[in-house]
Amino acid sequence: MTRADRLTLSLATTHRLKTGTALLLLLGMLVACGRDAPVSSGQALASVDGREITIHQINAELGKGTAREASKQMLDGLVARQLLVNAARQEKLDTNPTVLADMERARDLVLAQSYVQMKLAKPGRPTQQDLDAFYDQHPDWFAQRQQFDFAELVIDKASVSDELNKMMVGVRPLDEVAAWLQKQHISFTRLQVSRSSMDLPAPMLEGVKKMERGQLFIVNEGHTAILAALADVRSTPLSRAAAAQPIQQMLFNQRQGEITEQAVARLKSDARIVYFDSAKTLKDSNVTPVAEAAPGGEASVVK
């Protein structure tokens, strides 16, 4: 139905709209005219079961990602996401308590990040002197950077025994530990992991730097224990020029963190915060550094 047809219809039937029958008839005709093509906002690029995907959504994706221009692949990705969203709604997952809690958490994170980005001051651009000072202060990250390769066996923490602790002392092939685990019917997952000296926490880095190749140690993470061996160490220094951009980002994040901490302190002073008795059971998280294998058959451990 064209615009002219609709205008003619409207003029011809205006006097009949006083009756309910005529109004229902008109509405039915208009719906029938619209069945050939769904009504679009004018900004829509696609529609998935009646839900539009608009150019605004593409622009939002461009703002959050690394792509510089819209692409068919990006649109296809949004179509796939909408299909999954529609399927989740059909299964009523949007009323699931766990899903609702995750959605609330995501909403709070977006709001908090938006406040930081839109309402707090932006850090100034670091000078060349700032970049040089940061480079010199962190030789392990740049001039003396190293790459560490680890072989790992991941097991349930409850499976760690005194006998296993004794096996994880000194230097030996991790395959021997894997064979022992199999004999004990202890399931494990084998991994190969590579980390630079920039990736490792300072206490762990200091411990690993003292190890020789093949040194065994244990890392405790929650309910799992990682039986690890230092497989290889390589020197991978980063020049000042190559480090300039990552240092700029690090300094930006550091200064943005300081600005945020100051804002939180100010907000705290104006707020009424009450910690209940149930909070007293919470403990501060801590990390035990990797130590050299202690005499007496104790393994090096990171908790």
Side-chain angles (χ1 to χ4, degrees):
M1 178 179 288
T2 65
R3 182 179 179 186
D5 292 334
R6 292 193 181 98
L7 182 58
T8 301
L9 176 62
S10 177
L11 293 175
T13 57
T14 299
H15 67 283
R16 296 164 56 194
L17 296 182
K18 294 180 181 179
T19 67
T21 302
L23 180 58
L24 291 174
L25 175 63
L26 178 59
L27 290 174
M29 293 175 67
L30 291 176
V31 169
C33 291
R35 283 175 183 164
D36 294 335
V39 178
S40 171
S41 64
Q43 300 291 329
L45 299 176
S47 174
V48 181
D49 293 333
R51 292 185 179 272
E52 290 184 351
I53 296 174
T54 69
I55 188 64
H56 301 298
Q57 289 173 268
I58 291 284
N59 291 336
E61 294 295 318
L62 290 173
K64 298 295 184 184
T66 57
R68 296 185 178 180
E69 60 182 18
S71 65
K72 179 62 165 52
Q73 288 80 6
M74 187 176 294
L75 178 59
D76 289 342
L78 289 175
V79 168
R81 182 196 299 174
Q82 190 62 57
L83 286 168
L84 293 172
V85 169
N86 292 353
R89 285 177 172 149
Q90 288 177 359
E91 297 293 333
K92 299 190 183 303
L93 294 182
D94 53 344
T95 63
N96 181 288
T98 301
V99 175
L100 288 173
D102 288 341
M103 292 171 66
E104 182 69 15
R105 176 178 176 275
R107 174 181 174 276
D108 289 347
L109 285 173
V110 170
L111 283 173
Q113 291 169 356
S114 298
Y115 181 82
V116 171
Q117 294 169 1
M118 298 179 183
K119 296 299 181 180
L120 300 186
K122 298 294 184 292
R125 184 181 180 85
T127 65
Q128 186 61 48
Q129 185 177 0
D130 294 331
L131 300 181
D132 289 339
F134 194 89
Y135 184 92
D136 293 335
Q137 290 165 4
H138 299 86
D140 285 329
W141 293 1
F142 307 113
Q144 301 172 20
R145 189 178 69 160
Q146 294 177 296
Q147 195 77 15
F148 300 96
D149 295 334
F150 301 100
E152 298 181 351
L153 305 174
V154 182
I155 66 173
D156 191 307
K157 188 177 178 179
S159 299
V160 177
S161 61
D162 291 340
E163 187 175 359
L164 180 56
N165 274 323
K166 291 178 181 179
M167 291 193 67
M168 292 299 295
V169 174
V171 176
R172 73 168 68 201
L174 193 62
D175 285 341
E176 292 185 13
V177 179
W180 183 87
L181 292 174
Q182 288 177 330
K183 288 182 179 179
Q184 303 300 315
H185 304 290
I186 298 174
S187 60
F188 61 87
T189 302
R190 190 187 294 268
L191 299 175
Q192 298 291 329
V193 178
S194 184
R195 295 283 185 269
S196 77
S197 50
M198 184 184 294
D199 300 325
L200 298 177
M204 184 173 183
L205 176 60
E206 289 306 310
V208 172
K209 285 168 63 176
K210 298 174 183 178
M211 293 181 179
E212 57 182 304
R213 288 173 176 80
Q215 173 75 53
L216 301 180
F217 61 98
I218 301 176
V219 179
N220 291 325
E221 290 187 354
H223 297 293
T224 64
I226 301 174
L227 313 180
L230 179 59
D232 194 18
V233 182
R234 303 186 304 279
S235 178
T236 56
L238 207 60
S239 67
R240 289 183 188 272
Q245 186 171 352
I247 289 177
Q248 285 184 6
Q249 188 62 51
M250 290 177 191
L251 288 175
F252 176 88
N253 293 341
Q254 177 181 312
R255 292 175 180 178
Q256 186 69 75
E258 293 169 354
I259 292 172
T260 302
E261 287 178 2
Q262 293 170 3
V264 170
R266 185 184 70 252
L267 293 170
K268 273 186 176 181
S269 65
D270 296 333
R272 182 173 178 269
I273 302 174
V274 178
Y275 290 100
F276 300 107
D277 290 341
S278 55
K280 295 179 180 179
T281 61
L282 301 178
K283 298 179 180 179
D284 291 332
S285 60
N286 53 54
V287 177
T288 303
V290 172
E292 295 178 310
E298 294 185 1
S300 305
V301 179
V302 175
K303 295 182 180 179

